[in-house]
Amino acid sequence: MDNAVQLTGLSQPEMISFVETMGEPAYRGRQLFAALQHRRLRSFDEITDLPKDLRARLNEMAKAATLKIESQYTSGDGTRRYLMKTHDGLPVETVFIPEERRDTICFSSQSGCPLQCTFCLTAQLGLLRSLTAGEIVEQIHIALNNAYGTGVKTPRGTNLVAMGAGEPLLNLDQLLKALRVMADPQGLHIVPNRVTVSTAGVVPRILDLAKTSDRPHLAISLAAATDELRNELMPINKRWPPEDLLSACKVFEKTLKPGERLTFEYVMLDGVNDSDEQARQLANLLNRHDIRSKVNLIPHNPADPLPYRPSSDQTVERFKNILESKGIHTYVRRPRGRDIFAACGQLAARQTTLSNRIESSLVGANN
Ligand code: SF4
């Protein structure tokens, strides 16, 4: 990108400072912030309440939007997956999941991912680069505009989950900046309490997050309760093994609000981590650390060329019962958007071609 300032990553005070450097009064900054963040407009020419000459100057020195939708897929269950491209041609994936009470948007924090979880397709891309705060915010704008129309008030609230491509805690500064921009009541007004960040277990950043007053909820991807198996499934474990990870979670627990629980995500891989014994090991690990938490069991989402299959429904149920018998709050997450490769661990910038349930279209106008 040229030297144009990417405005979607600016907070309202930063937007005001920016317009003041252009010789404009502060209220123009507030207008611009509301146009970009509340009405989700994606070009200066659409902001017709700004004077024409100001719009022309903005076009010369700033960008209202940088991501472009490359392709879009809609699942039979209503889930939508967007494959976007950054200004420098890197893939970014975002998933919109309509739900009865609130929609959920699963966004990416990095293009690709440096971690090498063996059950995840994104891992195969490696890290392309971390996303800027503006690129994180834009994913939400694009998903909402596509689902409801530009500037249209959403009929339901929105939850956000940082569970798309990338390890969010390896891009913590930009992530927190984006969340602060999105929390502004004059903008999207999605408060941190509506946001869950999922980590593979970057222990120092978990401790940093614990010190952050306006932090989102935290989920930890465990996938195994023993050192040996977790080393195999999630190599980050060699750096921060379960005991270190759980000790950091214990520190984080002190910051939990009433009613809030830490979430442990456990992907269920057939014949790999789903035995009765492994359920008991998981329960023992969590009980030993006695953390106010819950476990989400996530049936694996099969994707070639990953060498895993999902656990059967009966196995998942039995695993859940064992955890519950040991006092662990346990839930089974329903997979969404499997047919369009939109589910957890499946985001790898792939162009979906099969399945006549998929509506695939090149979108150019709305991005
Ligand atoms: S599961 Fe998450 S952290 Fe692990 S490789 Fe995939 S995107 Fe990265």
Side-chain angles (χ1 to χ4, degrees), residues 130-170:
S130 287
L131 300 180
T132 62
E135 288 165 336
I136 292 172
V137 174
E138 272 192 59
Q139 293 175 63
I140 314 308
H141 291 173
I142 287 173
L144 291 176
N145 284 352
N146 188 269
Y148 298 115
T150 303
V152 176
K153 195 172 181 315
T154 60
R156 297 179 282 272
T158 310
N159 286 334
L160 302 183
V161 292
M163 294 185 189
E167 164 51 60
L169 296 194
L170 291 179

Coordinates of all heavy atoms in Angstrom, one line a residue, residues 130-170:
S130 N 1.0 -10.9 10.3 CA -0.1 -10.6 11.2 C -0.9 -9.5 10.6 O -0.4 -8.6 9.8 CB 0.5 -10.1 12.6 OG 1.1 -11.2 13.3
L131 N -2.2 -9.4 11.0 CA -3.1 -8.4 10.4 C -3.0 -7.2 11.3 O -2.8 -7.2 12.5 CB -4.5 -9.0 10.4 CG -4.7 -10.2 9.5 CD1 -6.2 -10.7 9.6 CD2 -4.3 -10.0 8.1
T132 N -3.3 -6.0 10.7 CA -3.4 -4.8 11.4 C -4.7 -4.7 12.1 O -5.7 -5.4 11.8 CB -3.3 -3.6 10.4 OG1 -4.4 -3.6 9.5 CG2 -2.0 -3.6 9.6
A133 N -4.8 -3.7 13.0 CA -6.1 -3.5 13.7 C -7.2 -3.2 12.7 O -8.3 -3.7 12.8 CB -6.0 -2.4 14.7
G134 N -6.9 -2.4 11.7 CA -7.8 -2.0 10.7 C -8.3 -3.2 9.9 O -9.5 -3.3 9.6
E135 N -7.4 -4.1 9.6 CA -7.8 -5.3 8.9 C -8.7 -6.2 9.7 O -9.6 -6.9 9.2 CB -6.6 -6.1 8.4 CG -5.9 -5.3 7.2 CD -4.5 -5.8 6.9 OE1 -3.8 -6.4 7.9 OE2 -4.0 -5.6 5.8
I136 N -8.5 -6.2 11.0 CA -9.3 -7.0 11.9 C -10.7 -6.4 11.9 O -11.7 -7.1 11.7 CB -8.7 -7.1 13.3 CG1 -7.4 -8.0 13.2 CG2 -9.7 -7.7 14.3 CD1 -6.6 -8.0 14.5
V137 N -10.8 -5.1 12.1 CA -12.1 -4.4 12.2 C -12.9 -4.6 10.8 O -14.1 -4.8 10.8 CB -11.9 -2.9 12.5 CG1 -13.2 -2.2 12.4 CG2 -11.3 -2.7 13.9
E138 N -12.1 -4.4 9.8 CA -12.8 -4.5 8.4 C -13.5 -5.9 8.2 O -14.5 -5.9 7.5 CB -11.8 -4.3 7.3 CG -11.6 -2.9 7.0 CD -10.8 -2.8 5.7 OE1 -11.2 -3.3 4.6 OE2 -9.7 -2.2 5.7
Q139 N -12.9 -6.9 8.7 CA -13.6 -8.2 8.6 C -15.0 -8.2 9.1 O -15.9 -8.8 8.5 CB -12.8 -9.3 9.3 CG -11.4 -9.6 8.7 CD -10.7 -10.6 9.6 OE1 -11.1 -11.8 9.7 NE2 -9.6 -10.2 10.1
I140 N -15.2 -7.5 10.2 CA -16.5 -7.4 10.9 C -17.4 -6.6 10.0 O -18.6 -6.9 9.8 CB -16.4 -6.9 12.3 CG1 -15.2 -7.5 13.1 CG2 -17.7 -7.0 13.0 CD1 -15.2 -9.0 13.1
H141 N -16.9 -5.4 9.5 CA -17.7 -4.6 8.7 C -18.2 -5.4 7.4 O -19.4 -5.3 7.1 CB -16.9 -3.4 8.1 CG -16.5 -2.4 9.2 ND1 -15.6 -1.4 9.0 CD2 -16.9 -2.3 10.5 CE1 -15.5 -0.6 10.1 NE2 -16.2 -1.2 11.0
I142 N -17.3 -6.1 6.8 CA -17.6 -6.8 5.6 C -18.7 -7.8 5.8 O -19.7 -8.0 5.1 CB -16.3 -7.4 4.9 CG1 -15.5 -6.2 4.3 CG2 -16.7 -8.4 3.8 CD1 -14.1 -6.6 3.8
A143 N -18.5 -8.6 6.9 CA -19.4 -9.7 7.2 C -20.8 -9.1 7.5 O -21.8 -9.6 7.0 CB -18.9 -10.5 8.4
L144 N -20.9 -8.0 8.3 CA -22.2 -7.4 8.6 C -22.8 -6.8 7.4 O -24.0 -6.9 7.1 CB -22.0 -6.4 9.7 CG -21.7 -7.0 11.1 CD1 -21.5 -5.9 12.1 CD2 -22.8 -7.9 11.6
N145 N -22.0 -6.1 6.6 CA -22.6 -5.5 5.4 C -23.1 -6.5 4.4 O -24.2 -6.3 3.8 CB -21.5 -4.6 4.7 CG -21.2 -3.3 5.4 OD1 -22.0 -2.9 6.3 ND2 -20.2 -2.6 4.9
N146 N -22.4 -7.6 4.3 CA -22.8 -8.6 3.4 C -24.1 -9.3 3.9 O -24.9 -9.7 3.1 CB -21.7 -9.7 3.2 CG -22.0 -10.6 2.1 OD1 -22.5 -11.7 2.4 ND2 -21.6 -10.3 0.9
A147 N -24.2 -9.5 5.2 CA -25.4 -10.2 5.7 C -26.6 -9.3 5.7 O -27.7 -9.7 5.5 CB -25.1 -10.7 7.1
Y148 N -26.4 -8.0 6.0 CA -27.5 -7.1 6.2 C -27.6 -5.9 5.3 O -28.6 -5.2 5.3 CB -27.6 -6.6 7.7 CG -27.7 -7.8 8.7 CD1 -26.7 -8.1 9.5 CD2 -28.9 -8.6 8.7 CE1 -26.8 -9.2 10.4 CE2 -29.0 -9.6 9.5 CZ -28.0 -10.0 10.4 OH -28.1 -11.0 11.2
G149 N -26.5 -5.6 4.6 CA -26.5 -4.4 3.8 C -25.7 -3.3 4.5 O -25.7 -3.2 5.7
T150 N -25.0 -2.5 3.6 CA -24.2 -1.5 4.2 C -25.0 -0.5 5.0 O -26.0 0.0 4.6 CB -23.5 -0.7 3.0 OG1 -22.8 -1.7 2.2 CG2 -22.5 0.4 3.5
G151 N -24.4 -0.3 6.2 CA -25.1 0.8 7.1 C -26.4 0.3 7.7 O -26.9 1.1 8.5
V152 N -26.8 -0.8 7.4 CA -28.1 -1.3 8.0 C -27.9 -1.8 9.4 O -27.0 -2.6 9.6 CB -28.8 -2.4 7.1 CG1 -30.1 -2.9 7.7 CG2 -29.0 -1.8 5.7
K153 N -28.8 -1.3 10.3 CA -28.7 -1.8 11.7 C -28.9 -3.3 11.7 O -29.9 -3.8 11.1 CB -29.7 -1.1 12.5 CG -29.5 -1.2 14.0 CD -30.5 -0.2 14.7 CE -30.4 -0.2 16.2 NZ -30.2 -1.5 16.9
T154 N -28.1 -4.0 12.4 CA -28.2 -5.5 12.5 C -29.4 -5.9 13.3 O -29.6 -5.3 14.4 CB -27.0 -6.2 13.0 OG1 -26.7 -5.7 14.3 CG2 -25.8 -5.8 12.1
P155 N -30.2 -6.8 12.9 CA -31.4 -7.2 13.7 C -31.1 -7.8 15.0 O -31.9 -7.8 15.9 CB -32.2 -8.2 12.8 CG -31.1 -8.7 11.8 CD -30.1 -7.6 11.7
R156 N -30.0 -8.5 15.1 CA -29.6 -9.1 16.4 C -28.2 -8.5 16.8 O -27.6 -7.9 16.0 CB -29.5 -10.6 16.2 CG -30.7 -11.3 15.8 CD -30.5 -12.8 15.6 NE -29.9 -13.1 14.3 CZ -30.6 -13.3 13.2 NH1 -31.9 -13.2 13.2 NH2 -30.0 -13.5 12.1
G157 N -27.8 -8.9 18.0 CA -26.5 -8.5 18.5 C -25.4 -9.3 17.8 O -25.7 -10.3 17.0
T158 N -24.2 -9.0 18.0 CA -23.1 -9.7 17.4 C -22.1 -10.2 18.4 O -21.6 -9.4 19.2 CB -22.4 -8.8 16.4 OG1 -23.4 -8.2 15.5 CG2 -21.4 -9.6 15.5
N159 N -21.8 -11.4 18.4 CA -20.6 -11.9 19.2 C -19.5 -12.1 18.3 O -19.6 -12.4 17.1 CB -21.0 -13.3 19.8 CG -22.0 -13.2 20.9 OD1 -22.0 -12.2 21.6 ND2 -22.7 -14.3 21.2
L160 N -18.3 -11.9 18.8 CA -17.1 -12.1 18.0 C -16.2 -13.2 18.6 O -16.1 -13.3 19.9 CB -16.2 -10.8 17.9 CG -16.9 -9.6 17.4 CD1 -15.9 -8.4 17.3 CD2 -17.5 -9.8 16.0
V161 N -15.7 -14.0 17.8 CA -14.7 -15.0 18.3 C -13.4 -14.9 17.4 O -13.5 -15.0 16.2 CB -15.2 -16.5 18.3 CG1 -16.3 -16.6 19.3 CG2 -15.8 -16.9 17.0
A162 N -12.3 -14.8 18.1 CA -11.0 -14.8 17.4 C -10.6 -16.3 17.3 O -9.7 -16.7 18.0 CB -10.0 -14.0 18.1
M163 N -11.2 -17.0 16.4 CA -10.9 -18.4 16.2 C -10.7 -18.7 14.7 O -10.8 -19.9 14.3 CB -12.1 -19.3 16.7 CG -12.3 -19.2 18.2 SD -13.5 -20.3 18.8 CE -13.7 -19.7 20.5
G164 N -10.5 -17.7 13.9 CA -10.2 -17.9 12.5 C -8.7 -18.2 12.4 O -8.1 -18.8 13.3
A165 N -8.1 -17.8 11.3 CA -6.7 -18.1 11.0 C -5.9 -17.3 12.0 O -6.1 -16.2 12.3 CB -6.3 -17.8 9.6
G166 N -4.8 -18.0 12.4 CA -3.8 -17.3 13.2 C -3.9 -17.5 14.7 O -4.9 -18.0 15.2
E167 N -2.8 -17.2 15.4 CA -2.8 -17.2 16.9 C -3.0 -15.8 17.4 O -2.0 -15.0 17.3 CB -1.5 -17.9 17.3 CG -1.1 -17.7 18.8 CD -2.3 -18.1 19.8 OE1 -2.7 -19.2 19.8 OE2 -2.7 -17.2 20.6
P168 N -4.2 -15.5 17.9 CA -4.4 -14.1 18.3 C -3.5 -13.5 19.3 O -3.1 -12.3 19.2 CB -5.8 -14.1 18.9 CG -6.4 -15.5 18.6 CD -5.3 -16.4 18.2
L169 N -3.0 -14.3 20.2 CA -2.1 -13.8 21.2 C -0.7 -13.5 20.7 O 0.1 -12.9 21.4 CB -2.0 -14.7 22.5 CG -3.4 -14.8 23.2 CD1 -3.1 -15.5 24.6 CD2 -4.2 -13.5 23.4
L170 N -0.4 -13.9 19.5 CA 0.9 -13.5 18.9 C 0.7 -12.2 18.1 O 1.6 -11.7 17.4 CB 1.4 -14.6 17.9 CG 1.9 -15.9 18.6 CD1 2.4 -16.9 17.6 CD2 3.0 -15.6 19.6

